Amino acid sequence: MNRKLVVKLGLLNFGIAIVDILAFSNVFMRINLGDDTLVRRAFGYTLILMSIILFCYGNYRLLYSKETEYEFSIQDLNTPEDMVEVLTQLLNKNILNNEINTTINQIKRLLKKKESLKNIIYINFKEEDEDAYGLKDIINKAENLLYSNVKSMINAISVFDQSEFNQINQKNNSEKHAVYMEQVNYIREKVNNNETILLEFDKLLMQLSKLSDGTQADSDDLVVFKDVVNNMKNLL
């Protein structure tokens, strides 16, 4: 659930609660449904009914209105958590739900791998050795490339019309179907690209774990490590 929606829900329900408190509190309006004038009792029952209606209708509109379904801007997706939040909102596209879930999982896996890399690099390398291999720069670029792919996917997924796609399939409109499938394949390609990036992270992690010391490592392990680093550079 996005933050703006949470704020709107909070304001709506807090407002309803405040109005009811003011109406029935002994300090303010002092409406008493059991022992009051007919007009004040009628006002009290009406207020309760209106509060229930506003609570049900307002929350329903905020939670299920299409106007709030994709309330985000790509420029505002500055953290992995932001991207996961938006991707979770988009989980209503039947044909793309697998890709969306995979992408959420890829982001979480990347965060774990990055943390593991940070720990292993700290243990195995002096700062000058790390700079010599360009590890910081490579990891940052690979991470940014993965997130760039995620943002491109979010753009494509958010404009994908599942209901129209279903209608096209029913009508056997091959031309329109091809256009939609091109969009689907584009999204799947981004997922596959990110999987390749994560695979390179795995290779880097495996080779780094073999190095006990960046200056005294086994020569064969160091050669393989350099190859992995070069492969990541080529990927970027």
Side-chain angles (χ1 to χ4, degrees), residues 25 66 85 89 117 185 207 211:
S25 170
K66 288 186 177 180
E85 184 177 315
Q89 290 180 51
L117 278 169
N185 289 331
Q207 293 306 319
L211 302 179

Side-chain angles (χ1 to χ4, degrees), residues 9 31 71 83 116 119 121 128 142 145 151 153 199 230:
L9 287 168
I31 293 176
E71 193 173 335
M83 297 177 204
S116 298
N119 294 333
I121 289 171
E128 56 269 24
L145 179 58
K151 290 180 181 180
M153 285 176 57
L199 178 61
N230 287 332

